[in-house]
Amino acid sequence: MVIGVTGGIGCGKSTLLGILHQKYGGKIILADEIGHELMEPGEDCYEKVKAHFGQEILNEEGQIDRGLLAEIVYASDEKRQELNNIIHPAVLAEIQGMIEDNKGDLVFVETAIMFESKCDGLCQEIWCLSADPEIRIKRLMENRGYSREKCLAIMEKQLSDQEIRDRCDQVIFNNGTEEELERQVGEILARQGLVEGK
């Protein structure tokens, strides 16, 4: 069973994945992490991104300056699409291989851009993690040191909570404690026969 996990920034996806891995032995695939690895020097995507965006996106060590690249692509929808056209197909191919390697296991694929990256096509079901905007902002300010303005700017670039929820098979609300989150996860997995009901 391959389950996609998505939701906007600050919804608590890392906490959810921790529960799925530690309590249920789920294999976790992080699309974002794969994307970062594929942009390391020597990788095909690194060469393509460097050729497309120019040497000025490299730092002194010759690595892609993610902060600088993010500034470029966040300022222009066209540039963001150009980057996505390089990265997304490579990430999808990598995830596909990892799913094949974990056949028979409960696999969770996590990405904030599930539908934009077409990762949903690799999953049998998509879960959305949802939380109230103010709770998300509070978490980001406390855990990542973001300003309120930065939180709002990122949230604005992502699909709205409602848009994500409308396209998912399961919606998990994460406005409360980790215990409440864990209970919801257990209920969904039990309902699907993936774990024994408590």
Side-chain angles (χ1 to χ4, degrees):
M1 179 79 167
V2 182
I3 296 171
V5 174
T6 192
I9 192 168
C11 283
K13 293 188 293 295
S14 299
T15 305
L16 173 62
L17 295 170
I19 293 167
L20 292 168
H21 177 63
Q22 286 150 23
K23 190 162 183 186
Y24 299 103
K27 297 278 189 303
I28 309 296
I29 298 175
L30 304 171
D32 208 28
E33 213 168 81
I34 294 168
H36 285 177
E37 285 166 12
L38 292 176
M39 283 207 285
E40 289 295 324
E43 294 288 342
D44 193 31
C45 282
Y46 168 88
E47 296 301 335
K48 286 180 179 171
V49 170
K50 184 176 74 170
H52 191 84
F53 290 93
Q55 295 282 344
E56 56 271 21
I57 63 160
L58 303 182
N59 61 22
E60 287 168 10
E61 285 79 44
Q63 292 176 312
I64 291 169
D65 183 327
R66 293 191 202 292
L68 183 59
L69 184 59
E71 273 177 42
I72 294 167
V73 299
Y74 268 112
S76 158
D77 287 342
E78 192 183 331
K79 292 264 190 289
R80 191 157 76 248
Q81 194 54 54
E82 287 165 5
L83 179 64
N84 290 345
N85 289 344
I86 296 170
I87 303 296
H88 290 173
V91 170
L92 277 179
E94 198 75 20
I95 292 173
Q96 182 77 65
M98 292 169 84
I99 289 170
E100 294 291 328
D101 292 343
N102 288 286
K103 269 215 162 92
D105 289 318
L106 187 53
V107 177
F108 295 91
V109 177
E110 186 275 324
T111 173
I113 51 170
M114 180 65 66
F115 306 104
E116 303 93 314
S117 64
K118 299 189 170 53
C119 279
D120 58 315
L122 301 176
C123 307
Q124 286 141 296
E125 183 168 288
I126 311 290
W127 291 7
C128 165
L129 192 59
S130 176
D132 291 346
E134 285 304 321
I135 289 174
R136 292 166 61 190
I137 290 167
K138 185 168 181 279
R139 282 179 189 149
L140 291 167
M141 289 170 75
E142 285 174 3
N143 301 336
R144 301 196 197 180
Y146 287 0
S147 66
R148 185 178 178 83
E149 291 68 34
K150 183 171 182 176
C151 297
L152 290 168
I154 295 170
M155 286 162 73
E156 213 172 274
K157 291 283 182 195
Q158 296 183 332
L159 288 176
S160 74
D161 196 57
Q162 192 59 55
E163 283 176 292
I164 298 170
R165 279 158 59 176
D166 288 346
R167 296 171 74 171
C168 291
D169 303 289
Q170 304 283 349
V171 179
I172 300 167
F173 294 97
N174 187 27
N175 288 328
T177 63
E178 197 170 322
E179 288 71 31
E180 286 171 305
L181 180 61
E182 204 169 299
R183 179 184 53 74
Q184 288 182 77
V185 170
E187 284 172 2
I188 292 170
L189 290 172
R191 214 164 43 231
Q192 297 177 325
L194 295 169
V195 297
E196 285 182 24
K198 294 262 157 52

